[in-house]
Amino acid sequence: TVSEHTLLEMNFQAMQSAYSRDPAPDYAQRIAVLKKLKRALINHEQQIYQALSKDYGYRSEFDTFFADLMPTIATIKYAIKHLKKWMQPSKRHAGLMLAPSKVKVHYQPLGVVGVVTPWNFPLYLALGPTVQALAAGNRVMVKMSEFTPAANQVLRTILDDISDHVHLVEGDADIGAAFTALPFDHLIFTGSTSVGKLVAKAAADNLTPITLELGGKSPTIIDQEIDMKVAVDAVIMGKSINSGQICVAPDYIFVPAARLDSFIDTFIARYREYHLQSNNSNLQSHIITERQHTRLLQLLDDAKAKGATVHTVKAAEPGDGKRFYPHLLTNLSEDMAVLKEEIFGSLLPVMTYDTVDEVIAYITARPRPLALYIMSNSSALIERLISHTHSGGISINDTTMHVVADDAPFGGVGHSGMGHYHGYEGFLTFSKAKTVLYSSSWLPKNRFVLKHRDWVLKVLRKYVLR
């Protein structure tokens, strides 16, 4: 019997061999692979919904379509539309020293790319980077989460027709560690900051370039004048999709002290309207596992034990299963776990402020978040927060949606990540930008420089040193 580790090595070597046989796939080859993947996704739409709902206990089709299937299809379409332009060598200025030679930058596939996928959006976070790696001409190995076995099986079927380009790996944390230790030509990991550090250490042994998409505590700032209904709707959008199990979900809120009651009342009323009083068949998704559900309850109990006031959208009832409706928390203290750990669920700490200086000081004193959200129509305030804080990305009067911008990079900074991908930046991340110098053989440039060094030195000094 071949061990799982040995099989992993064999599959990696098989992907290396496949790349070696065709190290420079042309435009038509790449487009054909992307179109096959898009068609397979569309053909398996219903199976995708069913599989993810099975993995979660219940996951709404809206969440799966809106945050998994739709952005994946959009990513493929965008790559197909722009790939020909991306693949073209870019002309660069040669400069005085290299005249009359020409310089171009060619974009070459790296080889075999590793993708480590979390459980919260297994389709999009597996195939988003995979699409961009395929567009760049690479072969790909994807390590899926052990917590989404049904989704993994559907994805394996989807990839069947392009299995020589994409290989799916399943297994627990031990296989995950072995996967990240493989000598990939690039490795992208999406997950927690603590595991991201381990991935970085494993990759360092092989000098493997890495992209880390981590998380952190993403703040939301509500100003003094924004319509509270607009602000609340944006927060609910980011906190209700997948029950807040999103790396860029609003993690805590800053509200002007005088508007605290207005925020709480508006949030509870509008959340109940959208999720409890409507006739929509798409209900709030469950928390992925009992372990994650228990973790949220422990965070809530810790906050209550330390003096937090809890404002509940709906109390838990028999039959709710792993569904966890939002709990707003006020009267917070720094020793509470909800202000230290990334929540990744439906708890929402709410803090008050008197001046924006307090908000900026609080945010900049902590690890840089993956996202920052500003609810304001004040250009001055928006520009100040953009320029005086660091974060992976920012949304104004919206939350989470900047992630699916096809023509813009996505990535963290500091503890929330390293590097970026999506769109053209994704193509560049998974390509080797190779500088090529073109000099004409009929022009004896090198002979002239070597033979007339004194004169060349005199001329260059005159024009360069001034």
Side-chain angles (χ1 to χ4, degrees), residues 2-16 112 114-115 141-144 167-184:
V2 178
S3 72
E4 287 184 297
H5 285 230
T6 301
L7 187 60
L8 182 63
E9 290 274 0
M10 292 170 61
N11 288 325
F12 175 71
Q13 291 168 9
M15 295 304 285
Q16 284 185 313
V112 182
V115 178
M141 291 181 70
V142 183
K143 166 62 176 71
M144 298 299 292
H167 177 75
L168 205 67
V169 176
E170 295 182 80
D172 57 15
D174 182 54
I175 293 299
F179 184 91
T180 57
L182 292 171
F184 288 109

PDB file of all heavy atoms in Angstrom, residues 2-16 112 114-115 141-144 167-184:
ATOM      1  N   VAL A   2       0.602   2.157  -0.908  1.00  0.00           N
ATOM      2  CA  VAL A   2       1.360   3.408  -0.979  1.00  0.00           C
ATOM      3  C   VAL A   2       0.831   4.367   0.084  1.00  0.00           C
ATOM      4  O   VAL A   2      -0.374   4.588   0.189  1.00  0.00           O
ATOM      5  CB  VAL A   2       1.231   4.031  -2.383  1.00  0.00           C
ATOM      6  CG1 VAL A   2       1.979   5.350  -2.448  1.00  0.00           C
ATOM      7  CG2 VAL A   2       1.754   3.067  -3.436  1.00  0.00           C
ATOM      8  N   SER A   3       1.709   4.928   0.872  1.00  0.00           N
ATOM      9  CA  SER A   3       1.288   5.861   1.914  1.00  0.00           C
ATOM     10  C   SER A   3       0.764   7.150   1.290  1.00  0.00           C
ATOM     11  O   SER A   3       1.077   7.486   0.136  1.00  0.00           O
ATOM     12  CB  SER A   3       2.452   6.176   2.851  1.00  0.00           C
ATOM     13  OG  SER A   3       3.392   7.011   2.197  1.00  0.00           O
ATOM     14  N   GLU A   4      -0.028   7.897   2.065  1.00  0.00           N
ATOM     15  CA  GLU A   4      -0.574   9.161   1.573  1.00  0.00           C
ATOM     16  C   GLU A   4       0.542  10.143   1.226  1.00  0.00           C
ATOM     17  O   GLU A   4       0.449  10.880   0.253  1.00  0.00           O
ATOM     18  CB  GLU A   4      -1.500   9.770   2.630  1.00  0.00           C
ATOM     19  CG  GLU A   4      -2.826   9.062   2.774  1.00  0.00           C
ATOM     20  CD  GLU A   4      -3.732   9.766   3.765  1.00  0.00           C
ATOM     21  OE1 GLU A   4      -3.361   9.835   4.955  1.00  0.00           O
ATOM     22  OE2 GLU A   4      -4.779  10.254   3.354  1.00  0.00           O
ATOM     23  N   HIS A   5       1.602  10.135   2.029  1.00  0.00           N
ATOM     24  CA  HIS A   5       2.712  11.057   1.778  1.00  0.00           C
ATOM     25  C   HIS A   5       3.441  10.693   0.487  1.00  0.00           C
ATOM     26  O   HIS A   5       3.811  11.567  -0.301  1.00  0.00           O
ATOM     27  CB  HIS A   5       3.681  11.055   2.963  1.00  0.00           C
ATOM     28  CG  HIS A   5       3.170  11.801   4.151  1.00  0.00           C
ATOM     29  ND1 HIS A   5       3.916  12.756   4.815  1.00  0.00           N
ATOM     30  CD2 HIS A   5       1.972  11.763   4.796  1.00  0.00           C
ATOM     31  CE1 HIS A   5       3.215  13.245   5.816  1.00  0.00           C
ATOM     32  NE2 HIS A   5       2.028  12.652   5.820  1.00  0.00           N
ATOM     33  N   THR A   6       3.647   9.391   0.281  1.00  0.00           N
ATOM     34  CA  THR A   6       4.313   8.945  -0.938  1.00  0.00           C
ATOM     35  C   THR A   6       3.459   9.260  -2.157  1.00  0.00           C
ATOM     36  O   THR A   6       3.969   9.714  -3.200  1.00  0.00           O
ATOM     37  CB  THR A   6       4.588   7.426  -0.878  1.00  0.00           C
ATOM     38  OG1 THR A   6       5.412   7.143   0.255  1.00  0.00           O
ATOM     39  CG2 THR A   6       5.283   6.953  -2.146  1.00  0.00           C
ATOM     40  N   LEU A   7       2.153   9.046  -2.036  1.00  0.00           N
ATOM     41  CA  LEU A   7       1.237   9.353  -3.132  1.00  0.00           C
ATOM     42  C   LEU A   7       1.258  10.844  -3.450  1.00  0.00           C
ATOM     43  O   LEU A   7       1.215  11.239  -4.625  1.00  0.00           O
ATOM     44  CB  LEU A   7      -0.170   8.896  -2.769  1.00  0.00           C
ATOM     45  CG  LEU A   7      -1.226   8.997  -3.878  1.00  0.00           C
ATOM     46  CD1 LEU A   7      -0.835   8.149  -5.071  1.00  0.00           C
ATOM     47  CD2 LEU A   7      -2.591   8.574  -3.347  1.00  0.00           C
ATOM     48  N   LEU A   8       1.329  11.672  -2.423  1.00  0.00           N
ATOM     49  CA  LEU A   8       1.397  13.121  -2.623  1.00  0.00           C
ATOM     50  C   LEU A   8       2.649  13.490  -3.423  1.00  0.00           C
ATOM     51  O   LEU A   8       2.588  14.289  -4.378  1.00  0.00           O
ATOM     52  CB  LEU A   8       1.396  13.829  -1.268  1.00  0.00           C
ATOM     53  CG  LEU A   8       1.411  15.360  -1.273  1.00  0.00           C
ATOM     54  CD1 LEU A   8       0.149  15.903  -1.937  1.00  0.00           C
ATOM     55  CD2 LEU A   8       1.531  15.897   0.156  1.00  0.00           C
ATOM     56  N   GLU A   9       3.776  12.901  -3.040  1.00  0.00           N
ATOM     57  CA  GLU A   9       5.034  13.145  -3.763  1.00  0.00           C
ATOM     58  C   GLU A   9       4.912  12.686  -5.216  1.00  0.00           C
ATOM     59  O   GLU A   9       5.360  13.375  -6.137  1.00  0.00           O
ATOM     60  CB  GLU A   9       6.183  12.406  -3.081  1.00  0.00           C
ATOM     61  CG  GLU A   9       6.591  12.966  -1.725  1.00  0.00           C
ATOM     62  CD  GLU A   9       7.592  14.107  -1.856  1.00  0.00           C
ATOM     63  OE1 GLU A   9       7.957  14.443  -2.999  1.00  0.00           O
ATOM     64  OE2 GLU A   9       7.980  14.665  -0.819  1.00  0.00           O
ATOM     65  N   MET A  10       4.324  11.527  -5.430  1.00  0.00           N
ATOM     66  CA  MET A  10       4.183  10.990  -6.785  1.00  0.00           C
ATOM     67  C   MET A  10       3.310  11.897  -7.641  1.00  0.00           C
ATOM     68  O   MET A  10       3.617  12.150  -8.814  1.00  0.00           O
ATOM     69  CB  MET A  10       3.597   9.580  -6.726  1.00  0.00           C
ATOM     70  CG  MET A  10       4.523   8.544  -6.123  1.00  0.00           C
ATOM     71  SD  MET A  10       3.686   6.958  -5.803  1.00  0.00           S
ATOM     72  CE  MET A  10       3.187   6.496  -7.472  1.00  0.00           C
ATOM     73  N   ASN A  11       2.220  12.403  -7.065  1.00  0.00           N
ATOM     74  CA  ASN A  11       1.336  13.290  -7.813  1.00  0.00           C
ATOM     75  C   ASN A  11       2.018  14.615  -8.137  1.00  0.00           C
ATOM     76  O   ASN A  11       1.828  15.175  -9.227  1.00  0.00           O
ATOM     77  CB  ASN A  11       0.048  13.538  -7.022  1.00  0.00           C
ATOM     78  CG  ASN A  11      -0.858  12.327  -7.003  1.00  0.00           C
ATOM     79  OD1 ASN A  11      -0.938  11.584  -7.972  1.00  0.00           O
ATOM     80  ND2 ASN A  11      -1.546  12.112  -5.887  1.00  0.00           N
ATOM     81  N   PHE A  12       2.821  15.095  -7.187  1.00  0.00           N
ATOM     82  CA  PHE A  12       3.567  16.324  -7.449  1.00  0.00           C
ATOM     83  C   PHE A  12       4.554  16.117  -8.595  1.00  0.00           C
ATOM     84  O   PHE A  12       4.666  16.956  -9.500  1.00  0.00           O
ATOM     85  CB  PHE A  12       4.303  16.771  -6.180  1.00  0.00           C
ATOM     86  CG  PHE A  12       5.195  17.967  -6.385  1.00  0.00           C
ATOM     87  CD1 PHE A  12       4.655  19.216  -6.604  1.00  0.00           C
ATOM     88  CD2 PHE A  12       6.571  17.834  -6.371  1.00  0.00           C
ATOM     89  CE1 PHE A  12       5.473  20.332  -6.801  1.00  0.00           C
ATOM     90  CE2 PHE A  12       7.401  18.931  -6.555  1.00  0.00           C
ATOM     91  CZ  PHE A  12       6.847  20.175  -6.781  1.00  0.00           C
ATOM     92  N   GLN A  13       5.260  15.003  -8.579  1.00  0.00           N
ATOM     93  CA  GLN A  13       6.215  14.707  -9.648  1.00  0.00           C
ATOM     94  C   GLN A  13       5.500  14.541 -10.990  1.00  0.00           C
ATOM     95  O   GLN A  13       6.026  14.939 -12.035  1.00  0.00           O
ATOM     96  CB  GLN A  13       7.008  13.454  -9.298  1.00  0.00           C
ATOM     97  CG  GLN A  13       7.969  13.661  -8.130  1.00  0.00           C
ATOM     98  CD  GLN A  13       8.547  12.351  -7.596  1.00  0.00           C
ATOM     99  OE1 GLN A  13       8.369  11.293  -8.196  1.00  0.00           O
ATOM    100  NE2 GLN A  13       9.233  12.444  -6.465  1.00  0.00           N
ATOM    101  N   ALA A  14       4.295  13.990 -10.947  1.00  0.00           N
ATOM    102  CA  ALA A  14       3.514  13.838 -12.181  1.00  0.00           C
ATOM    103  C   ALA A  14       3.149  15.206 -12.758  1.00  0.00           C
ATOM    104  O   ALA A  14       3.194  15.404 -13.985  1.00  0.00           O
ATOM    105  CB  ALA A  14       2.260  13.014 -11.917  1.00  0.00           C
ATOM    106  N   MET A  15       2.784  16.148 -11.888  1.00  0.00           N
ATOM    107  CA  MET A  15       2.456  17.489 -12.366  1.00  0.00           C
ATOM    108  C   MET A  15       3.701  18.199 -12.886  1.00  0.00           C
ATOM    109  O   MET A  15       3.647  18.934 -13.882  1.00  0.00           O
ATOM    110  CB  MET A  15       1.814  18.303 -11.238  1.00  0.00           C
ATOM    111  CG  MET A  15       0.471  17.778 -10.770  1.00  0.00           C
ATOM    112  SD  MET A  15      -0.765  17.618 -12.093  1.00  0.00           S
ATOM    113  CE  MET A  15      -1.209  19.321 -12.336  1.00  0.00           C
ATOM    114  N   GLN A  16       4.845  17.984 -12.243  1.00  0.00           N
ATOM    115  CA  GLN A  16       6.096  18.552 -12.750  1.00  0.00           C
ATOM    116  C   GLN A  16       6.416  18.001 -14.138  1.00  0.00           C
ATOM    117  O   GLN A  16       6.831  18.751 -15.029  1.00  0.00           O
ATOM    118  CB  GLN A  16       7.249  18.241 -11.790  1.00  0.00           C
ATOM    119  CG  GLN A  16       7.269  19.090 -10.533  1.00  0.00           C
ATOM    120  CD  GLN A  16       8.500  18.799  -9.691  1.00  0.00           C
ATOM    121  OE1 GLN A  16       8.843  17.647  -9.455  1.00  0.00           O
ATOM    122  NE2 GLN A  16       9.170  19.851  -9.241  1.00  0.00           N
ATOM    123  N   VAL A 112       4.717  24.542 -11.403  1.00  0.00           N
ATOM    124  CA  VAL A 112       3.629  23.927 -10.635  1.00  0.00           C
ATOM    125  C   VAL A 112       3.307  24.815  -9.435  1.00  0.00           C
ATOM    126  O   VAL A 112       4.182  25.107  -8.620  1.00  0.00           O
ATOM    127  CB  VAL A 112       4.000  22.513 -10.151  1.00  0.00           C
ATOM    128  CG1 VAL A 112       2.828  21.891  -9.395  1.00  0.00           C
ATOM    129  CG2 VAL A 112       4.391  21.629 -11.339  1.00  0.00           C
ATOM    130  N   GLY A 114       1.009  25.587  -5.991  1.00  0.00           N
ATOM    131  CA  GLY A 114       0.221  24.967  -4.930  1.00  0.00           C
ATOM    132  C   GLY A 114      -0.801  25.942  -4.376  1.00  0.00           C
ATOM    133  O   GLY A 114      -0.482  27.108  -4.148  1.00  0.00           O
ATOM    134  N   VAL A 115      -2.027  25.473  -4.173  1.00  0.00           N
ATOM    135  CA  VAL A 115      -3.116  26.296  -3.632  1.00  0.00           C
ATOM    136  C   VAL A 115      -3.686  25.600  -2.407  1.00  0.00           C
ATOM    137  O   VAL A 115      -4.155  24.462  -2.502  1.00  0.00           O
ATOM    138  CB  VAL A 115      -4.231  26.511  -4.675  1.00  0.00           C
ATOM    139  CG1 VAL A 115      -5.372  27.339  -4.077  1.00  0.00           C
ATOM    140  CG2 VAL A 115      -3.685  27.178  -5.933  1.00  0.00           C
ATOM    141  N   MET A 141      -1.802  22.255  -8.157  1.00  0.00           N
ATOM    142  CA  MET A 141      -2.277  21.282  -7.172  1.00  0.00           C
ATOM    143  C   MET A 141      -3.029  22.044  -6.092  1.00  0.00           C
ATOM    144  O   MET A 141      -2.538  23.065  -5.592  1.00  0.00           O
ATOM    145  CB  MET A 141      -1.110  20.502  -6.567  1.00  0.00           C
ATOM    146  CG  MET A 141      -0.428  19.559  -7.543  1.00  0.00           C
ATOM    147  SD  MET A 141       0.939  18.628  -6.789  1.00  0.00           S
ATOM    148  CE  MET A 141       0.031  17.526  -5.679  1.00  0.00           C
ATOM    149  N   VAL A 142      -4.225  21.557  -5.768  1.00  0.00           N
ATOM    150  CA  VAL A 142      -5.092  22.241  -4.807  1.00  0.00           C
ATOM    151  C   VAL A 142      -5.313  21.360  -3.600  1.00  0.00           C
ATOM    152  O   VAL A 142      -5.818  20.236  -3.724  1.00  0.00           O
ATOM    153  CB  VAL A 142      -6.447  22.610  -5.439  1.00  0.00           C
ATOM    154  CG1 VAL A 142      -7.307  23.384  -4.440  1.00  0.00           C
ATOM    155  CG2 VAL A 142      -6.250  23.416  -6.719  1.00  0.00           C
ATOM    156  N   LYS A 143      -4.951  21.843  -2.417  1.00  0.00           N
ATOM    157  CA  LYS A 143      -5.234  21.141  -1.159  1.00  0.00           C
ATOM    158  C   LYS A 143      -6.546  21.678  -0.596  1.00  0.00           C
ATOM    159  O   LYS A 143      -6.659  22.841  -0.229  1.00  0.00           O
ATOM    160  CB  LYS A 143      -4.101  21.363  -0.154  1.00  0.00           C
ATOM    161  CG  LYS A 143      -4.420  20.976   1.291  1.00  0.00           C
ATOM    162  CD  LYS A 143      -4.723  19.494   1.446  1.00  0.00           C
ATOM    163  CE  LYS A 143      -4.950  19.123   2.926  1.00  0.00           C
ATOM    164  NZ  LYS A 143      -6.219  19.653   3.457  1.00  0.00           N
ATOM    165  N   MET A 144      -7.565  20.798  -0.543  1.00  0.00           N
ATOM    166  CA  MET A 144      -8.865  21.190  -0.043  1.00  0.00           C
ATOM    167  C   MET A 144      -8.960  20.937   1.458  1.00  0.00           C
ATOM    168  O   MET A 144      -8.201  20.160   2.033  1.00  0.00           O
ATOM    169  CB  MET A 144      -9.958  20.401  -0.768  1.00  0.00           C
ATOM    170  CG  MET A 144     -10.003  20.641  -2.264  1.00  0.00           C
ATOM    171  SD  MET A 144     -10.339  22.357  -2.711  1.00  0.00           S
ATOM    172  CE  MET A 144     -12.049  22.528  -2.142  1.00  0.00           C
ATOM    173  N   HIS A 167      -4.716  19.144 -10.128  1.00  0.00           N
ATOM    174  CA  HIS A 167      -4.846  17.932  -9.313  1.00  0.00           C
ATOM    175  C   HIS A 167      -5.352  18.309  -7.928  1.00  0.00           C
ATOM    176  O   HIS A 167      -4.826  19.232  -7.287  1.00  0.00           O
ATOM    177  CB  HIS A 167      -3.499  17.221  -9.195  1.00  0.00           C
ATOM    178  CG  HIS A 167      -3.559  16.001  -8.316  1.00  0.00           C
ATOM    179  ND1 HIS A 167      -4.132  14.816  -8.718  1.00  0.00           N
ATOM    180  CD2 HIS A 167      -3.144  15.803  -7.029  1.00  0.00           C
ATOM    181  CE1 HIS A 167      -4.057  13.938  -7.729  1.00  0.00           C
ATOM    182  NE2 HIS A 167      -3.465  14.510  -6.705  1.00  0.00           N
ATOM    183  N   LEU A 168      -6.375  17.590  -7.464  1.00  0.00           N
ATOM    184  CA  LEU A 168      -6.994  17.874  -6.170  1.00  0.00           C
ATOM    185  C   LEU A 168      -6.414  16.959  -5.095  1.00  0.00           C
ATOM    186  O   LEU A 168      -6.259  15.758  -5.302  1.00  0.00           O
ATOM    187  CB  LEU A 168      -8.502  17.649  -6.274  1.00  0.00           C
ATOM    188  CG  LEU A 168      -9.388  18.425  -5.293  1.00  0.00           C
ATOM    189  CD1 LEU A 168      -9.326  19.902  -5.597  1.00  0.00           C
ATOM    190  CD2 LEU A 168     -10.829  17.938  -5.416  1.00  0.00           C
ATOM    191  N   VAL A 169      -6.103  17.555  -3.942  1.00  0.00           N
ATOM    192  CA  VAL A 169      -5.550  16.811  -2.806  1.00  0.00           C
ATOM    193  C   VAL A 169      -6.487  16.977  -1.619  1.00  0.00           C
ATOM    194  O   VAL A 169      -6.944  18.087  -1.324  1.00  0.00           O
ATOM    195  CB  VAL A 169      -4.141  17.323  -2.434  1.00  0.00           C
ATOM    196  CG1 VAL A 169      -3.618  16.616  -1.180  1.00  0.00           C
ATOM    197  CG2 VAL A 169      -3.178  17.129  -3.598  1.00  0.00           C
ATOM    198  N   GLU A 170      -6.781  15.876  -0.938  1.00  0.00           N
ATOM    199  CA  GLU A 170      -7.571  15.927   0.289  1.00  0.00           C
ATOM    200  C   GLU A 170      -6.768  15.320   1.425  1.00  0.00           C
ATOM    201  O   GLU A 170      -5.830  14.562   1.212  1.00  0.00           O
ATOM    202  CB  GLU A 170      -8.879  15.159   0.110  1.00  0.00           C
ATOM    203  CG  GLU A 170      -9.819  15.768  -0.911  1.00  0.00           C
ATOM    204  CD  GLU A 170     -11.126  15.007  -1.011  1.00  0.00           C
ATOM    205  OE1 GLU A 170     -12.004  15.227  -0.150  1.00  0.00           O
ATOM    206  OE2 GLU A 170     -11.259  14.191  -1.939  1.00  0.00           O
ATOM    207  N   GLY A 171      -7.164  15.658   2.642  1.00  0.00           N
ATOM    208  CA  GLY A 171      -6.472  15.112   3.797  1.00  0.00           C
ATOM    209  C   GLY A 171      -6.515  16.058   4.966  1.00  0.00           C
ATOM    210  O   GLY A 171      -6.952  17.206   4.854  1.00  0.00           O
ATOM    211  N   ASP A 172      -6.034  15.575   6.121  1.00  0.00           N
ATOM    212  CA  ASP A 172      -6.079  16.365   7.340  1.00  0.00           C
ATOM    213  C   ASP A 172      -4.876  17.296   7.436  1.00  0.00           C
ATOM    214  O   ASP A 172      -4.156  17.529   6.453  1.00  0.00           O
ATOM    215  CB  ASP A 172      -6.159  15.447   8.557  1.00  0.00           C
ATOM    216  CG  ASP A 172      -4.987  14.474   8.609  1.00  0.00           C
ATOM    217  OD1 ASP A 172      -3.986  14.678   7.902  1.00  0.00           O
ATOM    218  OD2 ASP A 172      -5.073  13.494   9.389  1.00  0.00           O
ATOM    219  N   ALA A 173      -4.642  17.808   8.644  1.00  0.00           N
ATOM    220  CA  ALA A 173      -3.564  18.782   8.842  1.00  0.00           C
ATOM    221  C   ALA A 173      -2.197  18.195   8.526  1.00  0.00           C
ATOM    222  O   ALA A 173      -1.295  18.906   8.059  1.00  0.00           O
ATOM    223  CB  ALA A 173      -3.598  19.303  10.278  1.00  0.00           C
ATOM    224  N   ASP A 174      -2.029  16.902   8.742  1.00  0.00           N
ATOM    225  CA  ASP A 174      -0.749  16.257   8.458  1.00  0.00           C
ATOM    226  C   ASP A 174      -0.449  16.288   6.959  1.00  0.00           C
ATOM    227  O   ASP A 174       0.676  16.592   6.549  1.00  0.00           O
ATOM    228  CB  ASP A 174      -0.781  14.813   8.965  1.00  0.00           C
ATOM    229  CG  ASP A 174       0.538  14.092   8.740  1.00  0.00           C
ATOM    230  OD1 ASP A 174       1.577  14.611   9.183  1.00  0.00           O
ATOM    231  OD2 ASP A 174       0.521  13.021   8.106  1.00  0.00           O
ATOM    232  N   ILE A 175      -1.449  15.990   6.150  1.00  0.00           N
ATOM    233  CA  ILE A 175      -1.278  16.067   4.697  1.00  0.00           C
ATOM    234  C   ILE A 175      -1.090  17.526   4.277  1.00  0.00           C
ATOM    235  O   ILE A 175      -0.310  17.834   3.370  1.00  0.00           O
ATOM    236  CB  ILE A 175      -2.489  15.448   3.972  1.00  0.00           C
ATOM    237  CG1 ILE A 175      -2.532  13.940   4.243  1.00  0.00           C
ATOM    238  CG2 ILE A 175      -2.424  15.708   2.473  1.00  0.00           C
ATOM    239  CD1 ILE A 175      -1.313  13.183   3.755  1.00  0.00           C
ATOM    240  N   GLY A 176      -1.799  18.422   4.948  1.00  0.00           N
ATOM    241  CA  GLY A 176      -1.631  19.842   4.651  1.00  0.00           C
ATOM    242  C   GLY A 176      -0.207  20.300   4.884  1.00  0.00           C
ATOM    243  O   GLY A 176       0.356  21.061   4.078  1.00  0.00           O
ATOM    244  N   ALA A 177       0.404  19.845   5.978  1.00  0.00           N
ATOM    245  CA  ALA A 177       1.787  20.215   6.274  1.00  0.00           C
ATOM    246  C   ALA A 177       2.733  19.646   5.221  1.00  0.00           C
ATOM    247  O   ALA A 177       3.671  20.326   4.774  1.00  0.00           O
ATOM    248  CB  ALA A 177       2.172  19.723   7.663  1.00  0.00           C
ATOM    249  N   ALA A 178       2.486  18.395   4.811  1.00  0.00           N
ATOM    250  CA  ALA A 178       3.326  17.783   3.777  1.00  0.00           C
ATOM    251  C   ALA A 178       3.152  18.500   2.444  1.00  0.00           C
ATOM    252  O   ALA A 178       4.119  18.662   1.682  1.00  0.00           O
ATOM    253  CB  ALA A 178       2.964  16.302   3.632  1.00  0.00           C
ATOM    254  N   PHE A 179       1.935  18.942   2.172  1.00  0.00           N
ATOM    255  CA  PHE A 179       1.644  19.663   0.925  1.00  0.00           C
ATOM    256  C   PHE A 179       2.444  20.964   0.860  1.00  0.00           C
ATOM    257  O   PHE A 179       3.085  21.265  -0.147  1.00  0.00           O
ATOM    258  CB  PHE A 179       0.147  19.947   0.854  1.00  0.00           C
ATOM    259  CG  PHE A 179      -0.309  20.608  -0.421  1.00  0.00           C
ATOM    260  CD1 PHE A 179      -0.718  19.843  -1.499  1.00  0.00           C
ATOM    261  CD2 PHE A 179      -0.361  21.987  -0.534  1.00  0.00           C
ATOM    262  CE1 PHE A 179      -1.162  20.441  -2.682  1.00  0.00           C
ATOM    263  CE2 PHE A 179      -0.795  22.603  -1.707  1.00  0.00           C
ATOM    264  CZ  PHE A 179      -1.196  21.826  -2.780  1.00  0.00           C
ATOM    265  N   THR A 180       2.439  21.733   1.937  1.00  0.00           N
ATOM    266  CA  THR A 180       3.131  23.030   1.929  1.00  0.00           C
ATOM    267  C   THR A 180       4.646  22.868   1.933  1.00  0.00           C
ATOM    268  O   THR A 180       5.368  23.821   1.641  1.00  0.00           O
ATOM    269  CB  THR A 180       2.703  23.894   3.119  1.00  0.00           C
ATOM    270  OG1 THR A 180       2.965  23.189   4.348  1.00  0.00           O
ATOM    271  CG2 THR A 180       1.219  24.214   3.056  1.00  0.00           C
ATOM    272  N   ALA A 181       5.120  21.674   2.263  1.00  0.00           N
ATOM    273  CA  ALA A 181       6.565  21.423   2.252  1.00  0.00           C
ATOM    274  C   ALA A 181       7.081  20.999   0.881  1.00  0.00           C
ATOM    275  O   ALA A 181       8.297  20.864   0.695  1.00  0.00           O
ATOM    276  CB  ALA A 181       6.916  20.351   3.289  1.00  0.00           C
ATOM    277  N   LEU A 182       6.175  20.787  -0.076  1.00  0.00           N
ATOM    278  CA  LEU A 182       6.597  20.419  -1.428  1.00  0.00           C
ATOM    279  C   LEU A 182       7.280  21.614  -2.101  1.00  0.00           C
ATOM    280  O   LEU A 182       6.902  22.771  -1.856  1.00  0.00           O
ATOM    281  CB  LEU A 182       5.396  19.969  -2.261  1.00  0.00           C
ATOM    282  CG  LEU A 182       4.732  18.648  -1.855  1.00  0.00           C
ATOM    283  CD1 LEU A 182       3.428  18.457  -2.620  1.00  0.00           C
ATOM    284  CD2 LEU A 182       5.675  17.478  -2.089  1.00  0.00           C
ATOM    285  N   PRO A 183       8.247  21.357  -2.981  1.00  0.00           N
ATOM    286  CA  PRO A 183       8.986  22.469  -3.623  1.00  0.00           C
ATOM    287  C   PRO A 183       8.220  23.078  -4.795  1.00  0.00           C
ATOM    288  O   PRO A 183       8.643  23.015  -5.957  1.00  0.00           O
ATOM    289  CB  PRO A 183      10.279  21.796  -4.080  1.00  0.00           C
ATOM    290  CG  PRO A 183       9.901  20.373  -4.326  1.00  0.00           C
ATOM    291  CD  PRO A 183       8.853  20.038  -3.301  1.00  0.00           C
ATOM    292  N   PHE A 184       7.073  23.664  -4.499  1.00  0.00           N
ATOM    293  CA  PHE A 184       6.286  24.326  -5.540  1.00  0.00           C
ATOM    294  C   PHE A 184       7.058  25.503  -6.129  1.00  0.00           C
ATOM    295  O   PHE A 184       7.985  26.047  -5.507  1.00  0.00           O
ATOM    296  CB  PHE A 184       4.958  24.835  -4.965  1.00  0.00           C
ATOM    297  CG  PHE A 184       3.968  23.754  -4.640  1.00  0.00           C
ATOM    298  CD1 PHE A 184       3.667  23.442  -3.320  1.00  0.00           C
ATOM    299  CD2 PHE A 184       3.326  23.059  -5.649  1.00  0.00           C
ATOM    300  CE1 PHE A 184       2.746  22.456  -3.011  1.00  0.00           C
ATOM    301  CE2 PHE A 184       2.404  22.064  -5.352  1.00  0.00           C
ATOM    302  CZ  PHE A 184       2.113  21.755  -4.030  1.00  0.00           C
TER     303      PHE A 184
END
